[in-house]
Every structure is written in C-alpha cells, then in structure tokens.
Amino acid sequence: ETGVTQTPRHLVMGMTNKKSLKCEQHLGHNAMYWYKQSAKKPLELMFVYNFKEQTENNSVPSRFSPECPNSSHLFLHLHTLQPEDSALYLCASSQGGPNTEAFFGQGTRLTVV
Amino acid sequence: SQQGEEDPQALSIQEGENATMNCSYKTSINNLQWYRQNSGRGLVHLILIRSNEREKHSGRLRVTLDTSKKSSSLLITASRAADTASYFCATGGNMLTFGGGTRLMVKP
C-alpha cells in the first residue's frame, strides 16, 4: 500500500462511452501525475499537476481530459477513446522538486472495445 | 521522449544468483531512480542516487552511477523468486521519464 489509491482497478468501455478514472493520495504531496503504460512501450508521462496547476501536457489527445480539484485528488476523464488507448493508466504523486521519489497507485487497466 | 534505456530487456536466473541490470540515459541529470513493477501493478520506488554519488546500497540492492558514461547499474544480490518483476530506471526530477525496463525472472 503506497498511499495512492486508484479506482476503478479495471474498466471496459466502448468507443462512444464517457468514463472517469480517479486517483487519491493521502501523503500530503503537492504533485500528481498520470502515466500511460502500453504493452511493449515505456511508460509515457501524460500530465503533471503541481499545487493543482497543470504544468505539463505531453501532447496528449484531447479525448483525455485531466482534472485536479485539489492537491489530493486527480481525475482523468475519458471520451470517444480508440482501441489503441487500451493500456494500464498509472497515477503517481510526489513532494515535487528534483530529488523526490514518486509513489504510484496500482493502476487502472483500461480496455476500449 | 524516452530518457533511460535498460539492458538487458529480459533476464532469467536461478535463485541465489546475482542479477545485474544496466541503464543508459541521454542528458545531464540531478539524480537517477530505480523502480520495480510486479506484473500489471503500480511501480514501487527502490533507490535514488544523486548525480554526485557513485554508489549506493539498500539491503540486497547496489546501485552505481557513472555520469561520464551516462549509465547506471542495479545489482540484486542473492536473488529470490520474489524478486521476479520488471525493473525501471528513471530520470527527470519531478517529471520522471522511464526506460523500457528489464524483465527479471528468478527461478526457484
């Protein structure tokens, strides 16, 4: 248990559906992240939030929409996804700064059908 | 963009043997971190080595860093079946960029 909780753990959605992934951290961290992990590809950093402000958007398609209402919660809203978006989506948090470790949630396994 | 590259991509050893994984990176760093991932789960931080450090130990883990060669290695001594996992190096401070990982299998 890392202190970062992601829900749901598994999600199957159709290409026309709208769903949201949720991440919650109880570590008092200031930075939160979304990563995508596809089969046979390195982890891809998608979004970074520092003190609730988005500081990085790594050329992610607009069908992925992040939301950070406070420093403890992070959402990833999904709509009109494609089958190639099927992946493990990982949330992480950290204190921020150059020499801090990241704490990861268990991930949401997303399948787009 | 991918910063770290792990080598080998896959490694299979017997329990009790040592496992060595290597990581190369491209740009200057403040630190380099190693993470472990059990199949289909989240990553767990193992160790952070700063750019002014050359070697660091944590239990059965030994990490080295050679900034002149832009490379790092992770050594797991006296491996156990429970060490079976993927291991990743990461750089980038508070915007971590990960390599493709080394899949380690430790056979009992």
Side-chain angles (χ1 to χ4, degrees), chain A residues 53-64:
Chain A
E53 299 295 322
Q54 187 181 124
T55 57
E56 185 77 9
N57 176 338
N58 235 6
S59 303
V60 180
S62 59
R63 57 186 185 269
F64 294 92

Side-chain angles (χ1 to χ4, degrees), chain A residues 89-107:
Chain A
Y89 288 85
L90 291 162
C91 172
S93 71
S94 76
Q95 289 277 30
N99 290 310
T100 57
E101 66 188 85
F103 291 76
F104 283 80
Q106 294 299 312

Side-chain angles (χ1 to χ4, degrees), chain A residues 54-78:
Chain A
Q54 187 181 124
T55 57
E56 185 77 9
N57 176 338
N58 235 6
S59 303
V60 180
S62 59
R63 57 186 185 269
F64 294 92
S65 174
E67 178 190 0
C68 189
N70 55 62
S71 57
S72 299
H73 293 86
L74 185 64
F75 295 90
L76 188 62
H77 304 300
L78 316 170

Side-chain angles (χ1 to χ4, degrees), chain B residues 4-6 11 19 24 38 53 60 75 79 83 96 102 107:
Chain B
E5 288 273 2
E6 286 89 346
L11 180 61
S24 59
N38 286 6
E53 297 176 310
R60 293 184 295 113
L75 168 68
S79 64
D83 294 328
L96 289 173
T102 293
K107 300 175 189 173

Side-chain angles (χ1 to χ4, degrees), chain A residues 18-64:
Chain A
K18 288 184 181 181
K19 295 286 185 184
S20 295
L21 309 185
K22 180 182 176 182
C23 177
E24 187 173 357
Q25 58 98 359
H26 307 282
L27 302 168
H29 289 164
N30 300 314
M32 295 188 77
Y33 313 82
W34 280 117
Y35 283 87
K36 175 184 178 183
Q37 187 177 34
S38 305
K40 300 182 181 179
K41 289 179 70 175
L43 273 83
E44 300 170 67
L45 179 62
M46 300 175 72
F47 300 105
V48 180
Y49 278 82
N50 273 295
F51 294 96
K52 303 186 297 179
E53 299 295 322
Q54 187 181 124
T55 57
E56 185 77 9
N57 176 338
N58 235 6
S59 303
V60 180
S62 59
R63 57 186 185 269
F64 294 92

